[in-house]
């Protein structure tokens, strides 16, 4: 581990807006704030929105600036990246921001039923070889149901044709209420006002992808608690390009 990472990890230990509970720690130290985020940390009764796989936290911080009456929590296991957003939030005095460093596979251990209103999935790894690691898979949707309000909103913003297609088919197969869907977000005129407000937030790599001529896809849908979720049994073409700071994409010729 490089010196810069070690320094960032050490500094994050002092950040009041960062909670670090990787799997090895959570097994021995339970997360007592589950169900009490608003009372114990935010000190308000505002709704909670998660960004899963938040990276540097650019989106979490950007959303918090736009919506001061909403509490935002960025979640990722990459602590050195998360340092950037956590530091920025502290510098700007954004009290409606927190960061949780943990494995997303156990995200339901940190939030109680109905504690979260919305989830953002921003430029998640498509995980074309393993659907159980795909953050918009039915495996994860069932986990989200454990803490998301009934009919809570899930947002997916991605450069990946594979992930966008898979998620669209998953929504369609399970008849989840679709609120917005576009394969070219920044050139779509009929987006709703809430979506239009977030267009000003662009991550560094999102800008790079757009410079390469890649369209940014976006889908927003509700996740009711009722009904058994099923994966789409459809072959989905794999992405045929290499994204910035992602390994070469390859895998089975199906989306399952």
């Amino acid at each position: 581990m490089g010196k810069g990472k070690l320094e960032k990890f050490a500094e994050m230990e002092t950040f009041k807006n960062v909670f670090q509970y990787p799997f090895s720690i959570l097994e021995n130290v339970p997360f007592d704030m589950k169900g009490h985020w608003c009372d114990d940390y935010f000190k308000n009764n505002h709704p909670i929105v998660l960004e899963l796989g938040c990276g540097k936290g650019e989106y979490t911080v950007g959303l918090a600036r736009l919506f001061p009456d909403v509490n935002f929590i960025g979640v990722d296991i990459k602590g050195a990246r998360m340092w950037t957003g956590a530091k920025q939030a502290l510098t700007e005095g954004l009290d409606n921001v927190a960061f949780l460093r943990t494995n997303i596979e156990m995200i339901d251990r940190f939030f109680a039923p109905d504690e979260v209103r919305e989830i953002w999935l921003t430029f998640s790894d498509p995980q074309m070889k393993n659907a159980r690691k795909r953050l918009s898979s039915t495996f994860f949707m069932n986990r989200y149901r454990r803490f998301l309000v009934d009919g809570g909103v899930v947002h997916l913003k991605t450069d990946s044709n594979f992930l966008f297609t898979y998620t669209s088919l998953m929504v369609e197969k399970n008849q989840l209420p679709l609120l917005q869907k576009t394969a070219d977000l920044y050139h779509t005129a009929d987006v709703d006002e809430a979506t239009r407000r977030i267009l000003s937030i662009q991550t560094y790599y999102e800008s790079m992808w757009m410079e390469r001529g890649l369209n940014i896809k976006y889908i927003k849908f509700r996740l009711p608690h009722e009904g058994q979720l099923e994966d789409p049994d459809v072959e989905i073409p794999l992405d045929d390009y290499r994204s910035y700071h992602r390994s070469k994409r390859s895998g089975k010729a199906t989306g399952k």
Side-chain angles (χ1 to χ4, degrees):
M1 184 181 295
K3 181 179 179 181
K5 286 188 177 181
L6 289 173
E7 291 174 347
K8 288 177 179 178
F9 276 120
E11 188 174 10
M12 281 214 306
E13 292 287 346
T14 70
F15 288 176
K16 65 177 183 179
N17 62 350
V18 174
F19 301 87
Q20 302 193 65
Y21 280 80
F23 182 79
S24 58
I25 294 178
L26 190 63
E27 282 298 288
N28 300 314
V29 182
F31 190 72
D32 294 333
M33 205 161 60
K34 178 178 180 179
H36 304 284
W37 279 91
C38 286
D39 293 334
D40 293 352
Y41 176 74
F42 292 112
K43 309 298 183 183
N44 60 47
N45 60 354
H46 298 163
I48 292 176
V49 175
L50 304 186
E51 184 192 5
L52 302 182
C54 68
K56 294 184 178 182
E58 296 161 281
Y59 233 81
T60 300
V61 172
L63 288 168
R65 292 190 191 114
L66 286 178
F67 304 97
D69 293 332
V70 178
N71 299 323
F72 293 93
I73 303 174
V75 184
D76 209 308
I77 193 59
K78 302 288 188 179
R81 296 180 185 176
M82 181 181 291
W83 174 91
T84 302
K87 182 80 169 182
Q88 186 67 35
L90 290 174
T91 300
E92 296 185 22
L94 295 173
D95 295 329
N96 62 329
V97 177
F99 288 92
L100 174 63
R101 179 174 169 259
T102 194
N103 306 81
I104 297 178
E105 289 82 357
M106 54 185 191
I107 188 64
D108 52 309
R109 300 190 187 188
F110 297 89
F111 301 95
D114 300 326
E115 192 169 16
V116 175
R117 188 182 71 178
E118 298 182 21
I119 292 173
W120 276 88
L121 307 174
T122 51
F123 301 98
S124 309
D125 189 323
Q127 295 288 351
M128 294 184 289
K129 297 177 67 174
N130 191 344
R132 286 176 66 88
K133 292 186 177 181
R134 199 175 302 147
L135 295 187
S136 64
S137 67
T138 55
F139 173 78
F140 273 101
M141 291 296 151
N142 281 318
R143 287 185 179 271
Y144 303 155
R145 279 175 160 179
R146 297 173 187 173
F147 56 82
L148 193 66
V149 299
D150 190 14
V153 175
V154 178
H155 307 257
L156 172 77
K157 195 177 183 187
T158 183
D159 64 300
S160 167
N161 286 310
F162 177 91
L163 187 59
F164 179 70
T165 301
Y166 166 82
T167 307
S168 299
L169 291 171
M170 186 277 297
V171 168
E172 180 180 349
K173 183 175 182 64
N174 293 288
Q175 299 182 337
L176 304 180
L178 180 65
L179 302 177
Q180 183 85 42
K181 176 183 171 182
T182 173
D184 191 0
L185 177 61
Y186 292 99
H187 297 94
T188 299
D190 61 341
V191 296
D192 57 50
E193 183 59 30
T195 303
R196 192 175 302 282
R197 289 189 69 186
I198 60 94
L199 292 183
S200 61
I201 309 172
Q202 292 182 12
T203 67
Y204 172 77
Y205 290 114
E206 179 179 358
S207 300
M208 298 289 279
W209 289 321
M210 292 174 67
E211 288 179 7
R212 293 176 65 190
L214 299 177
N215 292 341
I216 304 302
K217 294 88 175 164
Y218 173 72
I219 183 169
K220 176 169 63 171
F221 57 93
R222 295 192 181 279
L223 182 60
H225 288 175
E226 291 185 357
Q228 181 176 347
L229 299 176
E230 298 181 7
D231 265 316
D233 187 17
V234 179
E235 290 190 1
I236 303 174
L238 303 181
D239 296 334
D240 59 358
Y241 65 92
R242 188 189 295 247
S243 284
Y244 287 96
H245 288 251
R246 284 198 189 134
S247 58
K248 185 175 181 181
R249 294 174 173 177
S250 62
K252 299 177 182 178
T254 70
K256 297 180 66 178

